[in-house]
Short mmCIF file of all heavy atoms in Angstrom, two decimals:
data_model
loop_
_atom_site.label_atom_id
_atom_site.label_comp_id
_atom_site.label_asym_id
_atom_site.label_seq_id
_atom_site.Cartn_x
_atom_site.Cartn_y
_atom_site.Cartn_z
N VAL Q 185 -10.77 35.66 24.44
CA VAL Q 185 -10.25 35.56 23.08
C VAL Q 185 -9.32 34.35 23.05
O VAL Q 185 -8.42 34.23 23.88
CB VAL Q 185 -9.48 36.82 22.64
CG1 VAL Q 185 -8.90 36.65 21.24
CG2 VAL Q 185 -10.40 38.04 22.69
N VAL Q 186 -9.57 33.43 22.13
CA VAL Q 186 -8.76 32.23 22.00
C VAL Q 186 -7.83 32.41 20.79
O VAL Q 186 -8.30 32.63 19.67
CB VAL Q 186 -9.63 30.97 21.82
CG1 VAL Q 186 -8.76 29.73 21.63
CG2 VAL Q 186 -10.56 30.80 23.02
N LEU Q 187 -6.52 32.32 21.05
CA LEU Q 187 -5.52 32.58 20.02
C LEU Q 187 -4.67 31.34 19.79
O LEU Q 187 -3.77 31.05 20.58
CB LEU Q 187 -4.64 33.76 20.43
CG LEU Q 187 -5.35 35.11 20.62
CD1 LEU Q 187 -4.40 36.11 21.28
CD2 LEU Q 187 -5.83 35.64 19.29
N PRO Q 188 -4.92 30.58 18.72
CA PRO Q 188 -4.10 29.40 18.42
C PRO Q 188 -2.79 29.80 17.76
O PRO Q 188 -2.65 30.91 17.23
CB PRO Q 188 -4.98 28.60 17.47
CG PRO Q 188 -5.82 29.63 16.80
CD PRO Q 188 -6.05 30.73 17.80
N ASP Q 189 -1.83 28.88 17.75
CA ASP Q 189 -0.54 29.18 17.12
C ASP Q 189 -0.47 28.69 15.67
O ASP Q 189 0.62 28.66 15.08
CB ASP Q 189 0.62 28.63 17.94
CG ASP Q 189 0.59 27.12 18.11
OD1 ASP Q 189 -0.23 26.45 17.44
OD2 ASP Q 189 1.37 26.60 18.94
N GLU Q 190 -1.60 28.33 15.09
CA GLU Q 190 -1.69 28.06 13.66
C GLU Q 190 -3.15 28.15 13.25
O GLU Q 190 -4.04 27.95 14.09
CB GLU Q 190 -1.10 26.69 13.30
CG GLU Q 190 -1.81 25.50 13.92
CD GLU Q 190 -1.25 24.17 13.42
OE1 GLU Q 190 -0.20 23.73 13.91
OE2 GLU Q 190 -1.89 23.59 12.53
N PRO Q 191 -3.43 28.54 12.01
CA PRO Q 191 -2.50 28.79 10.91
C PRO Q 191 -1.66 30.06 11.08
O PRO Q 191 -0.54 30.13 10.60
CB PRO Q 191 -3.40 28.88 9.69
CG PRO Q 191 -4.72 29.34 10.23
CD PRO Q 191 -4.83 28.67 11.57
N TYR Q 192 -2.23 31.09 11.75
CA TYR Q 192 -1.40 32.24 12.11
C TYR Q 192 -0.76 31.94 13.45
O TYR Q 192 -1.42 31.44 14.36
CB TYR Q 192 -2.24 33.52 12.20
CG TYR Q 192 -1.41 34.76 12.44
CD1 TYR Q 192 -0.95 35.51 11.36
CD2 TYR Q 192 -1.08 35.17 13.72
CE1 TYR Q 192 -0.17 36.65 11.57
CE2 TYR Q 192 -0.31 36.31 13.94
CZ TYR Q 192 0.15 37.04 12.86
OH TYR Q 192 0.93 38.15 13.07
N ARG Q 193 0.51 32.27 13.58
CA ARG Q 193 1.21 31.96 14.82
C ARG Q 193 1.05 33.09 15.82
O ARG Q 193 1.92 33.96 15.96
CB ARG Q 193 2.69 31.67 14.56
CG ARG Q 193 3.42 31.16 15.80
CD ARG Q 193 4.83 30.70 15.46
NE ARG Q 193 5.50 30.20 16.64
CZ ARG Q 193 5.31 29.00 17.18
NH1 ARG Q 193 4.44 28.16 16.61
NH2 ARG Q 193 5.98 28.63 18.25
N PHE Q 194 -0.08 33.09 16.54
CA PHE Q 194 -0.25 34.06 17.61
C PHE Q 194 0.67 33.68 18.77
O PHE Q 194 0.87 32.50 19.07
CB PHE Q 194 -1.70 34.07 18.10
CG PHE Q 194 -2.66 34.70 17.12
CD1 PHE Q 194 -3.53 33.92 16.36
CD2 PHE Q 194 -2.69 36.07 16.95
CE1 PHE Q 194 -4.41 34.49 15.45
CE2 PHE Q 194 -3.57 36.66 16.05
CZ PHE Q 194 -4.43 35.87 15.30
N THR Q 195 1.25 34.71 19.40
CA THR Q 195 2.14 34.51 20.54
C THR Q 195 1.78 35.52 21.62
O THR Q 195 0.91 36.39 21.42
CB THR Q 195 3.61 34.70 20.15
OG1 THR Q 195 3.83 36.09 19.82
CG2 THR Q 195 3.99 33.84 18.95
N ALA Q 196 2.46 35.43 22.75
CA ALA Q 196 2.21 36.39 23.84
C ALA Q 196 2.48 37.82 23.40
O ALA Q 196 1.90 38.76 23.95
CB ALA Q 196 3.06 36.01 25.04
N ASP Q 197 3.36 37.98 22.39
CA ASP Q 197 3.71 39.33 21.92
C ASP Q 197 3.02 39.71 20.62
O ASP Q 197 3.24 40.81 20.10
CB ASP Q 197 5.24 39.41 21.71
CG ASP Q 197 6.01 39.15 22.98
OD1 ASP Q 197 5.58 39.65 24.04
OD2 ASP Q 197 7.03 38.43 22.92
N ASP Q 198 2.21 38.83 20.09
CA ASP Q 198 1.57 39.08 18.79
C ASP Q 198 0.14 38.54 18.84
O ASP Q 198 -0.10 37.37 18.59
CB ASP Q 198 2.36 38.39 17.68
CG ASP Q 198 1.82 38.70 16.28
OD1 ASP Q 198 0.78 39.40 16.18
OD2 ASP Q 198 2.44 38.25 15.30
N GLY Q 199 -0.79 39.40 19.21
CA GLY Q 199 -2.19 39.01 19.30
C GLY Q 199 -2.90 39.58 20.51
O GLY Q 199 -3.86 40.35 20.37
N PRO Q 200 -2.45 39.23 21.71
CA PRO Q 200 -3.17 39.72 22.91
C PRO Q 200 -3.23 41.24 23.02
O PRO Q 200 -4.20 41.77 23.57
CB PRO Q 200 -2.35 39.10 24.06
CG PRO Q 200 -1.75 37.87 23.47
CD PRO Q 200 -1.42 38.24 22.05
N GLU Q 201 -2.21 41.93 22.50
CA GLU Q 201 -2.19 43.40 22.63
C GLU Q 201 -3.37 44.04 21.89
O GLU Q 201 -3.78 45.16 22.22
CB GLU Q 201 -0.86 43.96 22.11
CG GLU Q 201 -0.75 44.13 20.62
CD GLU Q 201 -0.63 42.81 19.84
OE1 GLU Q 201 -0.35 41.77 20.47
OE2 GLU Q 201 -0.83 42.82 18.61
N ALA Q 202 -3.95 43.34 20.92
CA ALA Q 202 -5.09 43.88 20.18
C ALA Q 202 -6.38 43.79 20.96
O ALA Q 202 -7.38 44.41 20.59
CB ALA Q 202 -5.23 43.15 18.85
N PHE Q 203 -6.36 43.03 22.07
CA PHE Q 203 -7.58 42.81 22.85
C PHE Q 203 -7.35 43.18 24.31
O PHE Q 203 -7.81 42.49 25.22
CB PHE Q 203 -8.02 41.34 22.74
CG PHE Q 203 -8.28 40.91 21.33
CD1 PHE Q 203 -7.30 40.28 20.58
CD2 PHE Q 203 -9.51 41.16 20.73
CE1 PHE Q 203 -7.53 39.88 19.28
CE2 PHE Q 203 -9.75 40.78 19.42
CZ PHE Q 203 -8.77 40.13 18.69
N ALA Q 204 -6.64 44.27 24.53
CA ALA Q 204 -6.31 44.70 25.89
C ALA Q 204 -7.58 44.81 26.74
O ALA Q 204 -8.59 45.38 26.31
CB ALA Q 204 -5.59 46.05 25.85
N GLY Q 205 -7.54 44.20 27.91
CA GLY Q 205 -8.69 44.23 28.80
C GLY Q 205 -9.55 42.99 28.73
O GLY Q 205 -10.41 42.77 29.59
#
Side-chain angles (χ1 to χ4, degrees):
V185 177
V186 178
L187 298 169
D189 60 10
E190 63 175 80
Y192 185 91
R193 188 172 181 79
F194 288 105
T195 67
D197 299 319
D198 185 356
E201 82 288 345
F203 301 95

